[in-house]
Amino acid sequence: MNILAFVESRGGKLRGAGLEALCTAADLASNNHGTISALLVGANSAGLANELGKYGASKVYVADNAELNGYTPEGYREAVIAAMIAAQADVVVLSATVMGRDLAPVLAARLKAAFLPDCVSIESDGGKIVVKRPVYAGRCLMTLAATSLPAVISLRPKAFPANVGDARPVETVKLAVDLAGKIKSRLVEERAEAVGKLDVSEADIIVAGGRGLKGPENFHLVEELAAALKGAVGASRPVVDSGWRPHAEQVGQTGKVVGPTLYIAAGISGAIQHLAGMRSSKVIVAINKDADAPIFKSADYGIVGDALEVLPALTKAVQALNH
Ligand SMILES: Cc1cc2nc3c(=O)[nH]c(=O)nc-3n(C[C@H](O)[C@H](O)[C@H](O)COP(=O)(O)OP(=O)(O)OC[C@H]3O[C@@H](n4cnc5c(N)ncnc54)[C@H](O)[C@@H]3O)c2cc1C
């Protein structure tokens, strides 16, 4: 079984989720006595290839056509297929990030491949790949097996580790991708989040606020605790819909799926659609003034109290520990 890992990068930087895909793909290849190759797409990505040696890659294909500077499903699909042909890969592993969730089904359809999306665990038994994926907003786990190859597997971000190992030499291969007449859409504009702001899907600690914060003027309390913990700010959907916080911070079924080590939910009721995005967090702390709020059923630790008082008290305590 030869495996290709599509390693996502953005703004000339490798994404953590891309490295998780590479490490998982490398493990899968080694368990099945197959080869592992990686693919980087976009401008300046060649400079990142050597870095991948630490994460299990020995051969890295690089597609840096000018037309691939900005995601398009057709352009990236062609790059992945070209790399699969070059690497003689029959399995492609990528992360189910916003881009991956768009690209993976496009690839599977074009390759007429077995499609195993949004996995939280993978096993391979005698060359057969078996995965688990959450369904019904995280209430159930579905077990899926690929009955044929090729296969396209996408991994839920943060569900798999990106372990750094010994740096090994990397062979970089420039990939020719024939894009003539293939690209049907064009990236018109991309707006970056404020510089230095940590994205919820990459963060190891998240402090999220809900409608219980009462208004946007109180979100500085969430920001201050997040800053003290060196974490990111998250939000529930009504908070985003009301314009209190940007959509990039929304956690849940229609927002981002996160899996940090610590998730602090302040003034969030714990609706199933919110839980769908944060349930796999390692430790969940809930702050809610209603002792019967559903969020407490999913929380490891609960504080029954007014978030407007509890948040500054926690920030003060963390700041004291930091000194
Ligand atoms: C198709 C669909 C998709 C959805 N997608 C998402 C999604 O991606 N993400 C998401 O979050 N939601 C999503 N929702 C909405 C979801 O159903 C809930 O409505 C939403 O999560 C509730 O947000 P909330 O907990 O902030 O607000 P509320 O449900 O209003 O809860 C506020 C909580 O704050 C508590 N509270 C009030 N005052 C205080 C205080 N001073 N201190 C402490 N606690 C206090 C209350 O007891 C309450 O538990 C979706 C809904 C649908 C139908």
Side-chain angles (χ1 to χ4, degrees):
M1 192 187 291
N2 295 335
I3 304 188
L4 176 76
F6 168 68
V7 182
E8 210 176 309
S9 62
R10 181 170 292 179
K13 286 198 178 131
L14 294 166
R15 294 200 67 189
L19 298 174
E20 292 164 16
L22 173 55
C23 287
T24 309
D27 283 348
L28 199 58
S30 104
N31 292 344
N32 289 283
H33 313 292
T35 62
I36 171 73
S37 315
L39 169 67
L40 289 165
V41 181
N44 306 322
S45 50
L48 301 171
N50 281 335
E51 188 70 6
L52 300 186
K54 285 190 288 196
Y55 297 91
S58 47
K59 195 169 208 173
V60 179
Y61 294 91
V62 178
D64 65 355
N65 303 31
E67 284 167 281
L68 293 171
N69 289 342
Y71 171 73
T72 59
E74 305 89 7
Y76 276 49
R77 176 195 70 202
E78 292 307 311
V80 174
I81 290 174
M84 285 182 81
I85 293 169
Q88 298 184 333
D90 29 33
V91 177
V92 59
V93 177
L94 68 167
S95 181
T97 54
V98 172
M99 183 197 290
R101 273 186 273 162
D102 193 65
L103 178 60
V106 171
L107 269 172
R110 174 52 61 99
L111 293 164
K112 295 192 174 24
F115 184 36
L116 310 176
D118 199 24
C119 307
V120 293
S121 81
I122 299 191
E123 280 169 27
S124 55
D125 183 8
K128 192 170 169 193
I129 302 171
V130 180
V131 304
K132 289 201 188 325
R133 63 171 297 217
V135 288
Y136 299 119
R139 280 190 213 193
C140 303
L141 274 181
M142 178 191 272
T143 304
L144 277 171
T147 53
S148 63
L149 295 177
V152 175
I153 304 174
S154 72
L155 312 180
R156 182 169 282 210
K158 295 271 182 192
F160 295 85
N163 296 324
V164 183
D166 293 335
R168 52 162 104 174
V170 170
E171 182 193 350
T172 306
V173 182
K174 199 167 163 14
L175 195 66
V177 187
D178 178 12
L179 294 169
K182 303 251 172 63
I183 296 184
K184 309 283 184 216
S185 55
R186 182 169 61 89
L187 183 72
V188 178
E189 188 192 14
E190 200 170 21
R191 287 197 203 165
E193 281 296 309
V195 177
K197 208 169 164 190
L198 187 59
D199 188 275
V200 273
S201 53
E202 304 265 337
D204 207 37
I205 296 178
I206 296 171
V207 185
R211 202 148 43 182
L213 266 291
K214 310 281 186 225
E217 67 282 4
N218 292 324
F219 258 80
H220 69 97
L221 300 174
V222 176
E223 286 172 348
E224 283 155 15
L225 181 56
L229 291 166
K230 298 189 177 49
V233 172
S236 68
R237 179 167 160 173
V239 158
V240 171
D241 286 350
S242 308
W244 299 0
R245 300 299 298 182
H247 184 262
E249 291 177 2
Q250 186 182 317
V251 173
Q253 189 179 318
T254 42
K256 289 181 181 160
V257 175
V258 299
T261 307
L262 174 63
Y263 189 90
I264 302 178
I268 293 179
S269 58
I272 185 72
Q273 296 88 356
H274 188 81
L275 297 178
M278 43 64 81
R279 204 180 230 149
S280 55
S281 306
K282 311 271 175 314
V283 176
I284 297 172
V285 178
I287 306 166
N288 199 301
K289 68 174 190 186
D290 174 7
D292 295 322
I295 188 79
F296 287 124
K297 291 203 179 84
S298 304
D300 299 283
Y301 299 93
I303 302 172
V304 179
D306 185 343
L308 306 184
E309 291 169 11
V310 175
L311 283 170
L314 283 178
T315 305
K316 216 167 145 195
V318 174
Q319 283 168 343
L321 281 174
N322 286 345
H323 282 120

